[in-house]
Amino acid sequence: MTPQSEAELADIIAAAKGPMSIRGGGTRGSSGEGDPLSVAGLSGVTLYEPGALTLVVQAGTPVEEVKKILAGENQRLAFEPMDHRGLLGTQGVPTMGGVFAANTSGPRRIQSGAARDFLLGVRFVDGRGDVLSNGGRVMKNVTGYDLVKLMAGAYGTLGVLSELSLKVLPMAEACGTVAVDVADLATAVAAMSVALGSPYDVTGAAYDPDAGTVFIRVEGFETSVAYRGEALLQALAKFGEARMTLGEGAALWEGIRDVAAFHDKPGDVWRISVKPSDAIVLAQTLGATALQFDWGGGLIWALMEEGTDLRARMNVPGHATLVRASAQTRGAIARFQPEPAPLAAISAGLRAQFDPRAILSPGLMG
Amino acid sequence: MEMPSPNPAILACKSRLVERLAKVLPADAVIEDEAETRAYECDALTAYKCPPLLAVLPRSTQEVSDVLRICHEEGVPVVPRGAGTSLAGGALPTADCVILGVARMNDVLETDYANRTIRVQTGRTNLSVSGAVEEEDFFYAPDPSSQLACAIAGNIAMNSGGAHCLKYGVTTNNLMGVTMVMMDGTVVEIGGAHLDAGGLDLLGVICGSEGQLGVVTEATLRILRKPEGARPVLIGYDSNEVAGACVSDIIKAGVLPVAIEFMDRPCIEACEAFAKAGYPMCEALLIIEVEGSEAEIDHQLRLITDIARSHNPVELREATDSDEAARIWLGRKSAFGAMGQINDYMCLDGTIPVTSLPHVLRRIGEMSKEFGLAVANVFHAGDGNMHPLILFDANKPGDLETCEAFGAEILKLCVEVGGCLTGEHGVGIEKRDLMLHQYRPADIEAQLRVKDVFDPKWLLNPAKVFPLSTTQSRRAPAMAAE
């Protein structure tokens, strides 16, 4: 089902007799069981005020379309949403609804914030079929509870997003990348920590163990990027051979964002969020086929032998999501990190309130 | 402002409650004497006062848990309190409640520069969090103007902002994890030193829930390395419209200052009389601050002043040294004190789309004449968060009521143009009855359902945020059970 309006979406949900699989473009492989219900038909920009850094879009609006419109005013989605198609081998058109339902952020998350930090307001249809709204289209808003954050990352299980208000930011004039060849993961994490703890406003800190290289990104005005890049080059020289490239780098950071290193490689793919320095001890126990590191070490992508329960090997606080797996593995291992009992009870309570008939991608999140 | 009448059954059980609490808390942590509970009768919204039944000052998460468990069993409402600096009445007691103050819990538990986090007990003041990491040139970004006094607990409850959030965000964007005690005494850990939630973003809904979902006792906060330097520029215009257009053009040009402050003529005049910062007398004053190295600051300020000049300013003053920078900020930072010198005032906190600025200022000016009360405007222009200060005389009968009515009209105007009732102070009791102007009943009901999950008996700060009529049926069972 692909409703063409919010009212139609509400009617469909109100009349639903059984589970529905909620999706935008269906590219993130996280739609759950049931009759497919897509918001792709709700498309278009409702309001764009470049001088106020705000944009209101229908949930089914393609991400590419939004990027193009923003680029016309020299602005962008600063949280750098990942495109899952390469990693998951999915087809289709990623939507804004999907980006926020999955709280999808890229390398710049460490500096500018996650998708959820840019979401100012939502309209959604809950499991009863009621159209609800929360937040607004202004940057500072503490009027009532922040259900906007709750909806971001809920994968449609608390309600189906119909309209989103978001904050956008100016596009950077220039981009520079400092690459440092390091001996091992511990050195890499230390180097990234120095970069992120510097006053140079680093907007990306990733490590590719296959290449043995740390990548540090700075963005801003051209003179500023040159200055900061040079300062970082000096600060990081003690960790290994360092060099700077100015100007290019878009492809490199897109590859990091989309985990290009794991495309077309067999095995399960896990996404782990930990305290950056914990990455060192965790990497030793995972027994992964391959690893990639972003967010200064705090985001670990692990390619694992099929059917391995990575969570059993987690020896540090954090959470792990099973992003890519066969149907058989999915049957045995939960997609999302199980929560401790009191938190699981709160989450279940919220689901029961917002989706009392358990029809919105039931079972997807717990 | 109406508050629910106290439950006589609870008032009658005071001695039993004191006895039970005394068993789990040190002797000096239970305050029952009427002369002493008076210290907790209000927060910074001093127009409303009511001493609580009791106040307790626990020192640990375990003690908070014990207090909440006992109050839960006894069916006694609890009003959590940070430093009591709320301008919205978020910590206003009822006569039948226990005030749970976290002021004694102010330790730094862990500083981790390598991972850029600090973990503190939430009674710690905002400024002293930055103070704890200053030696390594780090800071905690959200900077509400009460930062010297306000506690992190209150910052989390209200999702506090500050002058620099255009670049650094508000509390919710800098909060990574909490230890929270539920009303029944259960202690939960949410988030931590890692980023983002593994399941639903519970941290996101807890931040800004005004102490209605749980009592946060510890927090993991993101700390940042200080920029190399910062410098403001002061720009004066002879109309609000032109100043608004200048702000919009700066943002469109791709410059993102850390702060853009806006003051109107009444505010400039009051600040000048009070602080003598040497502000030009004009209709609108902008203070814009940028950060970076000397060369980076020069570059950004050049872009900004070029745009500013194209709008024909009556004054444009760049700080050439730190003294001059301090003088530019002096008037703005003393704005509230200046107002307090002249008069009693009420500080509003609505947010509007930046593009509606001239229209909203014009309407406020018109309403000021209608209500016969002066108003001065000072606000964060980059994000549209306004702070109209309505001047009134608390000793003049009826003036407070007129002021409140005027304030309500301004906030309704904010909502009308696409903004909201409160940008950083919170709803508390102050804006509680205006919530139905912002949200439809169904939208309110969705929020009440969230509280149902966290606090099914509706004992935590129950008379705040939502119009009493919308929460009556939920609060009633607690009353009836007694």
Side-chain angles (χ1 to χ4, degrees), chain A residues 124-134 144-145 147 150-151 158-159 345-357 360, chain B residues 182 200 202 205 209 212-213 440-458 465-466 470-471 473-474:
Chain A
F124 62 97
V125 181
D126 75 2
R128 295 176 171 83
D130 291 337
V131 178
L132 299 172
S133 81
N134 190 261
Y145 295 166
L147 304 188
L150 201 52
M151 297 304 295
L158 299 180
I346 294 171
S347 296
L350 290 170
R351 269 181 238 298
Q353 291 284 7
F354 283 89
D355 179 23
R357 295 180 294 160
L360 304 178
Chain B
M182 310 281 291
L200 294 179
L202 301 179
V205 76
S209 62
Q212 292 198 312
L213 302 185
R440 297 168 307 146
D443 300 327
I444 299 268
E445 177 67 20
Q447 297 179 41
L448 303 184
R449 286 181 187 142
V450 170
K451 182 162 169 67
D452 289 342
V453 173
F454 283 84
D455 176 24
K457 288 166 81 173
W458 273 70
V465 187
F466 307 105
T470 66
T471 60
S473 63
R474 286 168 157 97

Side-chain angles (χ1 to χ4, degrees), chain B residues 407-440:
Chain B
E409 288 310 308
I410 292 178
L411 294 182
K412 286 181 200 168
L413 173 64
C414 291
V415 174
E416 232 169 74
V417 300
C420 66
L421 298 172
T422 169
E424 57 185 0
H425 294 174
V427 178
I429 56 158
E430 192 203 13
K431 283 146 285 197
R432 192 186 62 190
D433 298 329
L434 293 171
M435 282 290 274
L436 283 164
H437 286 279
Q438 171 106 50
Y439 288 115
R440 297 168 307 146

Side-chain angles (χ1 to χ4, degrees), chain A residues 80 105-110 203-204 217 253 256-257 294-295:
Chain A
E80 228 177 347
S105 321
R108 209 178 287 111
R109 193 261 173 269
I110 44 169
T203 70
R217 180 174 62 181
W253 288 99
I256 291 167
R257 182 194 73 190
D294 195 357
W295 299 357

